[in-house]
Amino acid sequence: MRKQPQRIAELLESPRTNIPVVTAGWVKTFRNDRFIALNDGSTLENLQLVIDPEKYPEDIRKKITTGAAVYAEGELVPSPGKGQAVEVQVEKLEILGEADAETYPIQPKRHSLEFLREKAHLRGRTTLFGAIMRVRSRLAYAIHTYFQEKGFIYLHTPIITAIDAEGAGQMFQVTTLDLENPPRNEEGKVDYKKDFFGKKANLTVSGQLEAETYAMALGQVYTFGPTFRAENSNTTRHLAEFWMVEPEVAFLDLHGNMDLAEDFVKYIIRDVMKERPKDLEFLEKRLLQEEKNLPQAKRSPMPLREKLQFVLDNRFVRITYTEAIEILRNSKPFKKKKFQYPVEWGLDLQSEHERYLVEKHFKSPVIIYDYPARIKAFYMRLNDDGKTVRAMDVLFPGIGEIIGGSQREERPDVLLKKMEEMGIDPEELWWYVDLRRYGTAYHSGFGLGFERMVQFVTGMGNIRDVIPFPRYPKNAEF
Ligand code: ATP
Ligand code: MN
């Protein structure tokens, strides 16, 4: 009869010793025929199990290899060795599942991140991916806590949508039609009336438009769910499937929206620093190690935890798009023609520009607001100048855009004119326009790319390494 194992994180913190304990996990290392370093994923630290080699003959001991699953009962005792406060004197050991040392890919040595991506089903067993996933989980928890404590309502917006007006990128189509032989209408085009939903449908790129409807009923809502973009961008900042956090608030203007965004990201960073200190310490060391051989200019300007603390301690710089353009045009790289893309009022900022502002000029998170209307979405509120909209992007060092948001256009006439200009059929979005007809009010919201936040907190360079199973062009393995 097996007993329910306790979590190693708890055993290591146990205020009492010389008590019977039960543990189970995966072997990290086995040395001197006696010491098993066991990990169960609850913490990055291992629990040392001590076995008596007399009791376990060679043929059993040779099954205790890296990656094997074991179950043990024994006594938790103060450890005489260095490196751990407690250890388990094993009384009963059971090897639940062997891991053939010849083929098991996760050996106790450094593996490249590229190699581990190909072994994504096993990379969670490494100290690094354990730490990343625990940090990710805690951040998700902190996001819910933040909004719930502020009285926001968690809203589940649809994943399948028939809206394609958002323009946030290419969408993935959802269909049950026979692609080899689709039904056709009189004009010879594919007849989506015969498709599952009776119209063309896609995976959502954002829950915002639906969230707005409930913000205009419940006052403060947020969504936190998967979003999909078929953009063919093979970058370290884009996934085809990622998670987005989108609060939407009635009676909130753009400046209130910036306050909310800043308060929110500071809250979740503060929380994860408090709750996952050991994982962050490990991630900080990893980053230092990884950057050791880079030239100074390419290294992170601060150690990981100092960077996080810096974000907490400083007010985010807030500048208008127009001011940003001015700063960029007066900058050294602009004058020396070092920017690849042009800097001109009316053009979108490229990531080289954003990074200059954040990393070189201000050395701080920056919120840029009041963008030209032409480069932003139809639903953003037009300013009195008739040229700019109440948009805001929050830019983070090393990441670039982490949040995009705006005050929404609440005036029906202005909205309809904008839709017409941008070629969006108001009939298609009749319900969205309705919100402006019945009880319209000023309101705002934003979207935080969850994986970009996890990247920032963990210091991981590639977004593919902060989600268990990344989806990107030509990859949907696992
Ligand atoms: P970018 O210009 O970086 O592609 P975007 O302007 O398309 O971003 P929004 O439509 O404003 O982004 O989405 C809100 C947030 O979602 C972004 O600030 C970013 O953090 C995140 N995000 C957008 N696209 C992706 C993606 N493909 N993968 C991961 N996160 C993303
Ligand atoms: Mn994009």
Side-chain angles (χ1 to χ4, degrees):
M1 253 272 287
R2 292 187 201 117
K3 302 187 183 112
Q4 187 60 37
Q6 293 148 281
R7 294 288 268 169
I8 287 177
E10 280 163 36
L11 292 178
L12 291 175
E13 299 287 310
S14 170
R16 289 169 54 217
T17 48
N18 304 100
I19 48 169
V21 293
V22 184
T23 183
W26 294 270
V27 174
K28 280 269 171 172
T29 56
F30 181 42
R31 59 186 176 86
N32 298 356
D33 281 341
R34 198 178 269 274
F35 301 109
I36 301 172
L38 192 73
N39 192 276
D40 70 354
S42 59
T43 165
L44 53 70
E45 292 170 300
N46 302 321
L47 178 63
Q48 174 154 286
L49 307 185
V50 186
I51 63 164
D52 178 358
E54 312 268 282
K55 228 170 117 186
Y56 300 97
E58 171 76 30
D59 60 323
I60 295 183
R61 287 198 319 260
K62 74 173 199 271
K63 294 180 181 168
I64 309 174
T65 58
T66 300
V70 305
Y71 168 94
E73 292 175 17
E75 189 181 354
L76 188 73
V77 297
S79 173
K82 278 205 281 263
Q84 65 275 322
V86 292
E87 63 188 25
V88 175
Q89 288 293 340
V90 173
E91 279 142 27
K92 179 179 161 194
L93 182 79
E94 195 182 335
I95 293 152
L96 301 172
E98 293 170 48
D100 179 9
E102 294 290 307
T103 56
Y104 183 62
I106 312 292
Q107 292 302 322
K109 59 161 195 163
R110 281 186 77 83
H111 294 291
S112 76
L113 293 170
E114 291 78 11
F115 172 83
L116 290 173
R117 236 169 265 151
E118 283 165 18
K119 312 283 181 228
H121 61 309
L122 294 170
R123 69 178 179 173
R125 304 241 189 115
T126 63
T127 310
L128 175 60
F129 281 86
I132 295 168
M133 294 311 153
R134 284 185 297 270
V135 165
R136 184 184 163 105
S137 165
R138 185 68 208 188
L139 280 170
Y141 182 79
I143 286 166
H144 283 295
T145 312
Y146 178 82
F147 287 121
Q148 294 287 339
E149 282 181 356
K150 281 193 140 19
F152 281 65
I153 313 298
Y154 179 29
L155 188 76
H156 298 94
T157 49
I159 288 173
I160 300 175
T161 170
I163 313 171
D164 70 353
E166 237 272 316
Q170 291 293 318
M171 301 178 95
F172 288 101
Q173 198 177 336
V174 177
T175 181
T176 52
L177 293 180
D178 177 3
L179 293 180
E180 304 290 337
N181 184 24
R184 306 221 171 242
N185 59 24
E186 275 143 37
E187 295 155 48
K189 298 235 173 79
V190 174
D191 187 2
Y192 285 107
K193 288 207 183 76
K194 302 229 168 67
D195 202 351
F196 190 91
F197 298 104
K199 53 164 106 170
K200 205 169 167 182
N202 295 297
L203 293 178
T204 184
V205 294
S206 157
Q208 179 203 319
L209 302 189
E210 288 100 342
E212 276 187 58
T213 70
Y214 268 87
M216 299 311 286
L218 306 178
Q220 313 185 118
V221 301
Y222 70 105
T223 71
F224 184 6
T227 37
F228 307 86
R229 297 191 185 177
E231 47 197 359
N232 208 347
S233 35
N234 258 308
T235 76
T236 55
R237 308 276 176 265
H238 291 89
L239 289 166
E241 177 181 293
F242 65 100
W243 287 64
M244 188 142 63
V245 184
E246 296 179 279
E248 192 67 40
V249 186
F251 321 118
L252 187 73
D253 67 11
L254 184 65
H255 288 275
N257 202 25
M258 291 190 234
D259 293 341
L260 178 68
E262 182 168 343
D263 189 52
F264 164 60
V265 297
K266 284 181 172 170
Y267 176 94
I268 62 177
I269 290 173
R270 196 176 302 120
D271 177 274
V272 77
M273 286 179 81
K274 182 160 166 277
E275 298 298 329
R276 300 253 49 110
K278 284 175 192 151
D279 289 327
L280 291 179
E281 183 188 353
F282 173 83
L283 289 161
E284 176 174 298
K285 286 199 188 122
R286 183 211 71 97
L287 192 60
L288 287 171
Q289 183 70 24
E290 187 179 275
E291 294 183 342
K292 208 174 52 183
N293 298 321
L294 293 179
Q296 188 67 40
K298 295 217 160 162
R299 285 186 220 161
S300 310
M302 289 177 212
L304 185 66
R305 287 173 299 174
E306 209 177 302
K307 175 189 83 174
L308 299 178
Q309 192 59 45
F310 180 84
V311 169
L312 298 186
D313 293 343
N314 290 280
R315 192 163 184 271
F316 296 1
V317 172
R318 299 180 186 191
I319 53 167
T320 64
Y321 167 89
T322 305
E323 287 166 332
I325 293 292
E326 223 158 90
I327 293 168
L328 288 167
R329 288 182 67 93
N330 283 318
S331 70
K332 255 198 216 146
F334 180 79
K335 291 184 171 156
K336 291 190 173 166
K337 301 200 166 25
K338 288 272 164 67
F339 287 135
Q340 200 189 331
Y341 293 92
V343 179
E344 216 177 287
W345 202 97
L347 298 181
D348 209 354
L349 299 177
Q350 300 297 323
S351 97
E352 56 177 353
H353 309 136
E354 297 178 342
R355 296 190 71 154
Y356 172 81
L357 290 168
V358 172
E359 288 158 31
K360 295 272 157 31
H361 189 82
F362 289 112
K363 298 188 168 66
S364 147
V366 176
I367 308 182
I368 302 182
Y369 63 98
D370 283 353
Y371 279 82
R374 275 194 24 242
I375 58 172
K376 290 291 182 182
F378 74 95
Y379 50 70
M380 299 189 179
R381 193 185 196 280
L382 193 63
N383 279 312
D384 293 342
D385 63 11
K387 289 192 309 191
T388 59
V389 287
R390 288 190 191 163
M392 62 150 200
D393 279 0
V394 181
L395 312 178
F396 263 30
I399 301 286
E401 184 192 327
I402 195 158
I403 286 178
S406 66
Q407 185 174 330
R408 321 304 190 190
E409 185 55 74
E410 85 283 15
R411 298 162 296 184
D413 48 332
V414 183
L415 182 71
L416 286 169
K417 188 156 167 274
K418 192 64 147 319
M419 292 174 90
E420 192 188 325
E421 280 168 19
M422 294 200 165
I424 295 160
D425 184 2
E427 299 278 299
E428 288 273 307
L429 281 178
W430 60 273
W431 50 271
Y432 189 74
V433 178
D434 253 10
L435 284 180
R436 278 75 184 165
R437 289 205 181 101
Y438 308 116
T440 193
Y442 65 104
H443 61 287
S444 301
F446 60 80
L448 166 83
F450 182 55
E451 282 74 19
R452 290 197 192 171
M453 191 67 201
V454 183
Q455 260 191 294
F456 183 73
V457 171
T458 58
M460 296 303 290
N462 195 320
I463 198 165
R464 296 172 186 180
D465 297 327
V466 299
I467 187 166
F469 299 106
R471 298 290 179 248
Y472 50 91
K474 300 283 174 292
N475 186 77
E477 193 65 49
F478 309 106

